[in-house]
Structure formats: structure tokens, C-alpha cells
Amino acid sequence: MCLIFVLSTLNVNAQRISKNKKAVIASVEKHRSELIDVSDQIWAAAETAFNENTSSKVLADYAEKNGFKVERGVAGMPTAFVASYGSGSPIIGILGEFDALPGLSQNTTPEKSPINTGAPGHGCGHNIFGTASLGAAIAVKELIEQGKLKGTVRFYGTPAEEKFFGKLWMVRAGLFDDLDVCLDWHPSAETKADVQSSLALVDFIVEFNGQAAHASGDPWNGRSASDALELYTTGINYYREHIKPTVRIHYHIQDGGQVVNVVPDYSRLWVRVRDTKREGMLPVYEQVQKMAEGAAIMANVDYKISLVSGIYELLVNRTGGVAMQKNLEYLGPITYTEEENAFGKKIQEATGKPQVGMDSAIRPLEETLEHPGGGSTDVGDVSWIVPTIRLRTTIAPKDTPWHSWAVVACGGMSIGHKGLEQAAKALSMTMTDLFESPKLVEAVKKEFKERKGDTVYKGMVPDGPPPIAQNK
Ligand SMILES: [Zn+2]
């Protein structure tokens, strides 16, 4: 009797999803091979920030083919686009990224093997990110088309996440202002509703200008921009002892002089300051700017600081996270073939990790941590404009080093494709929840208002167009 009771309970649970949710799952399965083809095309194109011409076109064309109205080149960025279907409220958005990372070219093999040494590769899985989100939007669109859901679904093609943070200019253009709720996800080595924040950051360029001279013949005539650069980075590295453990400071020397026999008259660094909250990041940003002036004084050169962009920490929405979690649990973990597990183990072997294979277990909903650590995302800024519900699904074996060749390898083969399918299903199911339940939309908005409090969002981008021309 007991067993029958348990079985019938399981059965009831299994049937508890609505017809609409069953339909979106079926839609993702119906489009599966097309979605994989879209993802693989973006994977092969592997285009970096603001160069995503093929990737953006492949996604926008596929949206158009599926009946969406597509507006290309929005917010002053040729590779940004918005694809909409339906009318009226609710308006539910979903974000998609598609840019690659430089230098990570890689075959779909479990050992490091570039297709084209030095060329870009999808080391963050954004080929899958953009495609799964569009797949989810298409599934929901089909229900609106059939009159089973009412409202508007909108897919955002968001470029340059890995450099410059393209969403900032889309936020500035007001493209998210009329959304009720937005969804977002990220490829990962685990599967969960994502209820953790991300780090706020600011990016800026420091340039030093001195006087060139013969390094040996008349160095007294020279004022060295590379001396200033060295003094500046030395100052930053001393400063590290006196900042909170949550703060991160990074710099990339972009120009330290050209040859050994000239006193360099020009040097340039890209500097980044992060903290778990924007209010922690801002005073460090101020101090690190002062240090540039100090270094310039010591080296007797001029200096210039130019803001690139800055992003907010993510505003978590647990109400939405709970809805996402339920859908993930309904779907259950991804199952892998023996070959896929062996592929995962080989990647783990090659990257010095325990060879445990794939792990797609659905993680329980986590506590939202005050200081989550990890990286940053321009989804942060969107999440201060509109409540944002997030997800992670597995596209690589456990402990895979991120932004590495190993992620590129998995993202172009069946392990990545399975994560794509899982994400598209969970996202479209959660969007269906929102369309079906005005109450859920209200609850998600209520939490958003409470968390945002009286904070007035102030985007951190310089005036003028997005930095497409300055992209080097
Ligand atoms: Zn990413």
C-alpha cells in the first residue's frame, strides 16, 4: 500500500505541470536539432566583443524565421538586437549573449588542441547561452501564437559581455524599461537556480605621457612613461594590504614602451576594481585614481584617466529562483552517455582535477550569500531595472577551469548541447509560470522593490556612443 501511495504521489507530482509547460518542453525538443545547429555556428564563428557579426546574424535570422519582429543594431551597437512577439502585458524578457574570448581556439577534443592557435574560442559558453535563451523565447512565442498565453515575449541579443559590457548601453537606451520580469542564465559546471549576486566593478584606462629621448645618449632629456607605469602598479600592489578581502584590483599593461633604446614617452594600462557591492568598489576606485596622479608626479610625466564602463552587483530575486528551482526539479538531472562521461574525465585529467566525470545533479536552492565571490556580469545592471530570474546548467565536467580551452571543447559537442536543451526547457517553463500567474509576477516585483529600496540606479558609462571604435 505504502509503495502504491508513494508511486501515486510521484505520479501526481509528475503531472502537476500545466499543459502549457508540457508544450514548451515539447517545443524545445522539436527545435532541438535547429538550436544545436545555431549554437554550433556561433561556436565555430567564435567572435569577440563587438565583432559578433555572424553570431548576432545567425540568432536574429533564426528569431525572424520563427515569426519574431527583429530590430537590429539597437543602442548604437550593430550586433545588438531585440526580437519581440505578441502584444500587451505581461512583457517578459530573456537575455542572450554570444561573444567569445580571445586566444582560446579549441577543437571538440578532451585535450588542448587549438583549431587556429591564438584565435578566439567560446570559453564561457556564450554560443549556448544565446541559443538556449532564444529557444526558450520561441517555445513561449508558439503558445502566444496559439492563444494559450497572452502578452509579449522579448529576446535581447546582448553583445560584448566579455569586454565593455554591451548591456550597459542597452540599459542607457531604456530598452528594458517596460519589462515586467527578465530571465537570464549562464552555462556552468553545475545545475541550479542561481540566487547569488555578482561583483560590482569599474574599468578604466590610465595613460602616461612623457618625453622620448635616447636611452643612453641623452636620458636626462627623457621623462619616462614606463617609469610612471611601474611606480603606479607598485603603488597598487602595496595598496592591496589595506583593502577589504572582498576587493579585487586587476591591471593589464597594454603599452609599456616599444624598444629598449628609447625612453618611452607613452604607456597605457587597463585597470579594473571590483567588490561585492558598488559602495565598496567606489572608494577604492577613487584611491586608485589618485595613485595615478602620484605616479605621474614621481616620474614627472602627464597622466590621463578614461572611464571604460562600470557595472552593478546583481540584485537577486529568490521568488523567481524558487519558481525556476521547481521547474529544474521537474526536469531532473541530465543523463550522460558513457562516452560523454569519459570525455569529461579526460578533461579533468588534462586540467589536473579529480576524474569524477559529469555532475548535473540539481543543486538545492542555496542561501543567498552576502559575499558570494566569483565574477561580474552586465546582467547586474539589468537586474536593477527589472526583476531578473537566473539559472545555471551544466555544460562542462565538474571543476572545469572556466574561460579555458576545456569549456570551448565541451561547448561544441553533445555535453554542451545537452546543457542547452536543459536550459531552454527550464527557462521556457519559468516564463510560462510568469505568463500564467499574475500573482507570481507581482510577488517577483514586490521582492525586487524591497531589495532595491531607495537606490537610484546610475549607469556608469561615458557620454557618447558605445566604445566600438576604441575596441583594441
Ligand atoms: Zn559568460
Side-chain angles (χ1 to χ4, degrees), residues 321-335:
V322 169
M324 182 69 81
Q325 180 75 17
K326 274 189 196 154
N327 291 323
L328 267 182
E329 282 171 8
Y330 174 84
L331 292 169
I334 299 168
T335 50

Side-chain angles (χ1 to χ4, degrees), residues 14 85 131 166 191 238 240 255 288 292 304 309 330 345 348 365 383 392 394 409 469:
Y85 188 86
T131 310
T191 302
Y238 271 91
R240 288 186 201 281
D255 190 339
V288 174
K304 185 182 166 201
S309 58
Y330 174 84
K345 284 179 186 171
Q348 285 156 341
L365 195 69
S383 75
R392 281 171 184 264
T394 303

Side-chain angles (χ1 to χ4, degrees), residues 112-183:
K112 191 174 175 187
S113 156
I115 298 171
N116 184 2
T117 303
H122 271 286
C124 205
H126 291 184
N127 57 308
I128 301 172
F129 183 163
T131 310
S133 293
L134 182 56
I138 290 168
V140 168
K141 171 254 159 185
E142 288 173 353
L143 289 177
I144 296 175
E145 189 176 26
Q146 293 158 18
K148 290 174 181 161
L149 295 177
K150 280 195 167 50
T152 309
V153 60
R154 209 182 275 161
F155 172 86
Y156 290 86
T158 69
E161 196 278 337
E162 298 289 5
K163 192 180 177 188
F164 301 116
F165 310 116
K167 290 180 198 71
L168 294 176
W169 288 273
M170 297 174 86
V171 169
R172 189 178 73 177
L175 298 179
F176 302 100
D177 289 354
D178 62 347
L179 285 184
D180 287 290
V181 182
C182 194
L183 281 88

